[in-house]
Amino acid sequence: IAAGRHAEARSRLEAAYPGPLNSLDSLYYEPLQPTILLAALMKLEGEAKGGEALLRAYLDHIRNSPLNRREGGLPRIEFTTLAMLGETEAALDALERAVDQGRLYQWWSLRDGGFDPDYAAAIADPRFEALEARILQKIEAQREALELQPQLAESDLR
């Protein structure tokens, strides 16, 4: 993708994940990465409507999955998908919910989708910068708490 060889990247992605949406009937939501990449590649290859349809189907699936209801929402996934759809405000609202709920899962990868112009616009927003700063503060507070009580880490490993 970074080299601009989008067709080759798409071919490799589809070989590695033969139809990421084939697993959408699963409760497991790990197809995020290949789904997002495929949608981005579709957009980069001039198939914006197809990429958008893929993203909307994925978002609909996530929002209606039993896992989503059990977990109280999946705002990190909503952030990524909405940002790729160009819905920056809704995406940032979802990220803010994730931060407020302490859902910092894979926070380090929030900038990974910057090759997509819509996603790049979301992470360039000043509100994103503020949310990212809050995430880093929470991570540092967790690290400090753990250093004060190292037995907590040991008990989690059992």
Side-chain angles (χ1 to χ4, degrees):
I1 294 171
R5 299 192 324 254
H6 304 135
E8 181 183 347
R10 183 172 176 179
S11 175
R12 289 177 179 223
L13 176 68
E14 289 173 335
Y17 297 96
L21 282 180
N22 291 345
S23 59
L24 281 185
D25 57 351
S26 166
L27 296 182
Y28 192 57
Y29 58 90
E30 195 54 38
L32 171 66
Q33 189 72 6
T35 302
I36 294 298
L37 285 174
L38 179 57
L41 287 165
M42 291 171 78
K43 289 169 64 177
L44 290 169
E45 290 187 305
E47 297 177 45
K49 288 188 188 293
E52 182 178 317
L54 178 65
L55 290 168
R56 291 204 183 281
Y58 187 67
L59 188 58
D60 185 56
H61 168 73
I62 290 302
R63 286 178 171 166
N64 292 309
S65 76
L67 177 65
N68 185 38
R69 289 188 292 277
R70 186 173 66 239
E71 294 291 324
L74 301 169
R76 168 67 172 83
I77 292 175
E78 285 191 50
F79 166 75
T80 302
T81 309
L82 290 166
M84 293 281 296
L85 287 166
E87 298 178 19
T88 299
E89 284 303 309
L92 292 171
D93 288 345
L95 182 58
E96 188 167 24
R97 281 193 314 277
V99 174
D100 290 346
Q101 294 172 7
R103 293 174 175 229
L104 309 179
Y105 176 71
Q106 293 188 346
W107 61 270
W108 57 88
S109 66
L110 286 171
R111 293 185 176 270
D112 287 355
F115 57 86
D116 176 79
D118 292 319
Y119 194 91
I123 62 176
D125 190 287
R127 189 171 159 205
F128 175 85
E129 297 289 332
L131 288 167
E132 189 175 49
R134 281 182 56 203
I135 290 169
L136 294 175
Q137 288 172 346
K138 285 181 177 252
I139 296 294
E140 185 56 32
Q142 290 174 356
R143 182 178 293 120
E144 289 173 3
L146 188 58
E147 288 173 356
L148 292 173
Q149 298 181 352
Q151 71 277 11
L152 293 177
E154 292 174 14
S155 67
D156 286 344
L157 294 176
R158 292 186 200 135

